[in-house]
Amino acid sequence: CIDRHGKEVLEGTINLRLLQQACRRQNVTVTDQEVDEEIRQAAARLLKPKKDGSPDVKTWLQMVTEEQEVSLDVYRTTSVWPTVALKKLVGDQVEVTQKDLQRGYEANFGPRVRCLAIVVDNLRHAQQVWDKARKNPTPEFFGDLAEEYSVEPSSRSLRGEVPPLQKHGGQPVLEKVAFSLAPGELSSIVQTGRELYVILLCLGRTEPVRVEFAEVRDEIYTDLHDKKQRAAMAEYFQKLQDSATIDNFLAGTSRSPNTVQQTGHTTPFR
């Protein structure tokens, strides 16, 4: 059991201990009712409701415990409790501004750019491919180039076809280039990662969804608040790990705080 699962289980135990210690320091408690409510919210988000409109908690619990191959108690302790604890530790730091809401509206309901894409992991090869595409900027020939040169499996197998690019989708450089293109226009070489280069051929734009902002404002707010909250939770937990002193004898690793002065304390765990 230790050979197969020991390191993973111990890492989970350490993470749980860090959260428990943080809760004690900040006098934060997590009740069974709060764990139940978190499960109910997860079922409401991810499953179709029951006929009476209520969340299908029973189906959700059966599904997640079978997928994770754990008991209900283990799921509540190792998955749900840490989520609730982190939410309470983060508190009301999350703010969704009017600008955030407008960007969310544009991202979900605004026009998107339909394009073909070639992804190359070498600048010299990207320049060679771009030069070939420039001489014959047709969708058919661009598809041939994608099939031959793209290192991204999906765009290669689909001859350059990619999902339409939306605004505020997390790729600001690529989005700016895409929305500046006219139908049939070839982009420049766009560097999107340390060693990834993208070439786009614009096919046009999709029609925006005809829905008023006021109709979807609450839905957008909930989605953005959830995303921001989870980002804040991840950042908080990373700080907990960075401020901890952990000697893990099973994994053969030892970790100390990067800068003790940032937190004012260390958390030994052996």
Side-chain angles (χ1 to χ4, degrees):
C1 285
I2 291 176
D3 287 341
R4 291 182 179 181
H5 311 291
K7 292 181 180 179
E8 179 183 351
V9 171
L10 181 56
E11 185 68 24
T13 302
I14 293 171
N15 292 340
L16 186 61
R17 179 67 61 85
L18 291 177
L19 285 174
Q20 290 170 341
Q21 291 176 341
C23 286
R24 284 198 294 270
R25 285 195 300 271
Q26 297 190 31
N27 294 319
V28 169
T29 59
V30 176
T31 66
D32 288 340
Q33 290 74 19
E34 288 170 327
V35 171
D36 291 336
E37 177 60 20
E38 181 66 25
I39 293 173
R40 191 193 69 80
Q41 291 179 9
R45 283 196 313 270
L46 300 170
L47 289 182
K48 291 182 179 180
K50 295 190 293 186
K51 292 181 179 180
D52 62 2
S54 61
D56 193 350
V57 174
K58 182 178 179 181
T59 300
W60 170 251
L61 289 175
Q62 181 179 350
M63 185 175 70
V64 293
T65 53
E66 287 179 356
E67 286 180 355
Q68 298 181 21
E69 297 183 342
V70 296
S71 67
L72 177 58
D73 286 342
V74 170
Y75 169 67
R76 289 173 62 92
T77 302
T78 62
S79 294
V80 187
W81 188 94
T83 299
V84 178
L86 273 171
K87 284 183 178 181
K88 299 188 74 170
L89 288 167
V90 169
D92 296 327
Q93 301 176 18
V94 177
E95 179 185 8
V96 178
T97 65
Q98 185 62 34
K99 183 178 179 180
D100 293 330
L101 292 171
Q102 188 59 44
R103 286 162 62 96
Y105 177 71
E106 292 177 358
N108 288 282
F109 302 100
R112 303 186 181 196
V113 179
R114 296 171 48 247
C115 55
L116 301 178
I118 299 173
V119 184
V120 185
D121 59 1
N122 180 286
L123 179 57
R124 183 171 62 85
H125 289 165
Q127 291 170 335
Q128 293 172 349
V129 174
W130 182 86
D131 190 56
K132 291 180 179 181
R134 179 177 60 85
K135 294 176 181 178
N136 185 11
T138 64
E140 293 77 12
F141 184 66
F142 194 92
D144 293 339
L145 294 175
E147 194 172 38
E148 182 176 356
Y149 293 104
S150 187
V151 299
E152 199 274 315
S154 178
S155 63
R156 183 174 65 247
S157 63
L158 295 176
R159 294 177 52 82
E161 289 187 25
V162 293
L165 288 169
Q166 66 189 91
K167 286 186 177 180
H168 316 303
Q171 304 178 85
V173 176
L174 194 62
E175 292 162 17
K176 183 178 180 180
V177 171
F179 277 88
S180 70
L181 298 175
E185 186 177 0
L186 185 72
S187 75
S188 59
I189 299 172
V190 185
Q191 184 172 0
T192 60
R194 185 171 298 178
E195 292 295 337
L196 285 180
Y197 304 88
V198 180
I199 304 168
L200 301 176
L201 179 65
C202 181
L203 301 179
R205 298 196 183 188
T206 64
E207 288 292 326
V209 180
R210 302 299 179 183
V211 59
E212 294 296 326
F213 174 76
E215 296 178 45
V216 293
R217 183 190 181 283
D218 291 345
E219 178 184 340
I220 295 171
Y221 179 90
T222 300
D223 179 62
L224 290 176
H225 185 275
D226 183 63
K227 289 177 179 177
K228 283 195 166 191
Q229 186 178 51
R230 292 191 179 279
M233 289 160 60
E235 182 180 359
Y236 184 95
F237 186 69
Q238 185 61 53
K239 289 180 179 179
L240 280 183
Q241 291 183 312
D242 291 341
S243 67
T245 299
I246 303 171
D247 295 326
N248 187 328
F249 296 112
L250 184 60
T253 60
S254 183
R255 185 170 65 202
S256 297
N258 294 331
T259 308
V260 175
Q261 288 77 8
Q262 291 180 351
T263 61
H265 66 272
T266 61
T267 305
F269 183 93
R270 292 183 171 82

